[in-house]
Amino acid sequence: MVMGGRLFYSECLDNTRMDQTTYNNVVSFLTSKLTEYNISHKVVPYITEKNTFGDIDIIIEPVSIDVLRNVVGEFVPYSRNSNIHSFLFQHKYQVDFIFSEKNKFNMTSFFYGYNDFAWMIAKLLEKGNAYKLYENGLYYIYHSNYKNHNILLTDNPDLILEVCQLNPSRYKEGFTTYTDMFDYIGECPILSSSLYALDRMSHNNRKIYKNRTTYKKFSKWMDKHNVPVTSYGKLISPNIKFNNIVNQSINEIDSQYEKNKTFKQSFNGNLVSNLTGLKHHELGKFMAYIRKKYTDEQLIENAATIILQEFNEGNM
């Protein structure tokens, strides 16, 4: 969620932040070029009162880097971080193209829009250790058999906001000021200052957020509004909001676990070695041959017979 505008600091001809006019002109040029090349795109929304910009964030459907160089210029510096492809347009302006499938644009925009908005929402969602917000959607964390399983619940921002008991229609209106955004987040009944305390962050996140404009403004807003250190409100439970998805996914996870457990009991190194006398490399080679030839169901049903038959026939 943390974006930046200093990726090409040493290569930039002018490290001054863009003013509103420059930002609008560059965005207008780039979006017209994207349209010219038939590339679907969406400019990441920002808070209206923001009047200087370190970079430009545009969501686009995945294309080749050669096509993007036709948009920004062939010889400008380039860098990539996962699905974010960054260019130093005109050797002065950092442009981050965020690759996303077209049907995921709204979720991607939600994740990257309005400065650190999604980060603040993510902190609310993580309070009960049940939810986790990622770029591609909201997940439920199911703890089972000493493992965490991430269950995708939705990639619809409206539903994500409703989990926090926030009005999606208000979000769609956008935010004129930082205070507008903070007031909106403040409507969540579980908001507490401890969720955003620096001493509860990892060392790296603490270094990042303590100097970010949004974080500093939000901290002052929480102080001004006497936001409690702890809150006893609740999010909408995943078992209420996403009951069918949760139950179906849990059943599939538990069923797969039992299947894997049964398979390991039916087909394992000790069993195969006892039946064939094979050891080490030869044992591994023979087991790999069996695994490739037979399905899990066949081995669960009749592993011993299969093993002896294949071994006696000399198949490896």
Side-chain angles (χ1 to χ4, degrees):
M1 278 169 272
V2 177
M3 306 294 280
R6 299 170 64 86
L7 183 61
F8 302 104
Y9 189 82
S10 62
E11 301 167 272
C12 189
L13 296 177
D14 181 1
N15 281 297
T16 305
R17 289 174 64 85
M18 287 175 277
D19 59 24
Q20 184 73 65
T21 300
T22 302
Y23 175 88
N24 289 341
N25 288 339
V26 176
V27 168
S28 177
F29 174 85
L30 292 172
T31 54
S32 66
K33 292 292 286 185
L34 290 168
T35 300
E36 178 184 334
Y37 284 94
N38 295 313
I39 302 171
S40 297
H41 59 275
K42 181 176 184 177
V43 179
V44 171
Y46 61 89
I47 297 168
T48 308
E49 76 170 349
K50 185 177 179 180
N51 52 24
T52 64
F53 302 82
D55 60 3
I56 295 168
D57 302 320
I58 304 177
I59 303 164
I60 67 170
E61 59 184 332
V63 295
S64 72
I65 302 306
D66 289 339
V67 171
L68 280 182
R69 287 200 176 279
N70 289 333
V71 173
V72 298
E74 185 175 355
F75 300 109
V76 299
Y78 163 74
S79 180
R80 176 183 178 181
N81 181 9
S82 186
N83 65 322
I84 301 175
H85 299 259
S86 303
F87 294 86
L88 189 59
F89 179 62
Q90 295 181 353
H91 292 270
K92 291 191 291 185
Y93 311 118
Q94 180 177 323
V95 182
D96 296 329
F97 292 109
I98 305 166
F99 280 18
S100 173
E101 298 301 327
K102 191 174 180 180
N103 63 350
K104 304 289 186 182
F105 273 18
N106 285 341
M107 183 64 217
T108 307
S109 177
F110 177 81
F111 192 80
Y112 288 104
Y114 301 115
N115 295 61
D116 295 320
F117 177 80
W119 175 76
M120 292 185 283
I121 293 296
K123 287 296 182 183
L124 298 173
L125 290 164
E126 293 168 10
K127 181 181 179 183
N129 295 319
Y131 291 110
K132 192 77 174 179
L133 184 65
Y134 293 103
E135 181 179 342
N136 66 332
L138 179 66
Y139 285 78
Y140 169 62
I141 312 302
Y142 173 53
H143 307 276
S144 175
N145 301 305
Y146 308 102
K147 289 180 64 178
N148 288 339
H149 303 269
N150 291 345
I151 299 173
L152 177 61
L153 300 174
T154 183
D155 58 7
N156 183 337
D158 289 4
L159 297 181
I160 295 171
L161 292 170
E162 287 174 0
V163 167
C164 298
Q165 300 186 52
L166 297 173
N167 184 353
S169 297
R170 171 65 190 88
Y171 168 79
K172 291 174 183 175
E173 294 172 3
F175 304 112
T176 302
T177 66
Y178 285 94
T179 299
D180 286 342
M181 182 170 70
F182 302 151
D183 287 344
Y184 177 67
I185 292 172
E187 294 174 9
C188 178
I190 72 161
L191 178 68
S192 61
S193 60
S194 62
L195 295 174
Y196 306 94
L198 287 172
D199 60 8
R200 295 185 60 178
M201 297 183 193
S202 67
H203 176 70
N204 286 340
N205 281 345
R206 188 159 57 247
K207 285 174 61 178
I208 292 170
Y209 283 101
K210 72 178 182 179
N211 294 317
R212 287 181 67 79
T213 298
T214 305
Y215 182 81
K216 289 188 283 189
K217 288 180 180 288
F218 188 45
S219 295
K220 290 180 179 178
W221 181 91
M222 287 192 290
D223 290 341
K224 179 180 178 181
H225 290 80
N226 298 314
V227 172
V229 175
T230 58
S231 173
Y232 299 99
K234 294 183 178 181
L235 300 171
I236 301 298
S237 167
N239 291 316
I240 295 175
K241 189 75 174 175
F242 307 100
N243 183 58
N244 291 338
I245 296 173
V246 170
N247 287 340
Q248 180 180 340
S249 297
I250 287 176
N251 287 338
E252 290 173 357
I253 290 168
D254 290 346
S255 176
Q256 186 62 49
Y257 172 79
E258 291 300 325
K259 179 181 175 182
N260 292 344
K261 183 178 176 182
T262 302
F263 177 78
K264 289 177 182 178
Q265 292 170 345
S266 304
F267 183 74
N268 57 70
N270 288 334
L271 173 67
V272 177
S273 181
N274 289 336
L275 289 172
T276 64
L278 294 173
K279 304 287 184 182
H280 308 303
H281 176 72
E282 293 300 318
L283 174 63
K285 184 179 177 182
F286 180 68
M287 289 184 68
Y289 165 80
I290 296 293
R291 289 293 287 119
K292 185 176 182 180
K293 185 173 180 179
Y294 295 93
T295 66
D296 290 359
E297 289 74 16
Q298 288 173 315
L299 290 170
I300 289 173
E301 181 77 20
N302 211 10
T305 301
I306 290 171
I307 291 166
L308 288 173
Q309 177 183 324
E310 293 289 348
F311 180 71
N312 291 332
E313 292 177 0
N315 296 324
M316 291 290 282

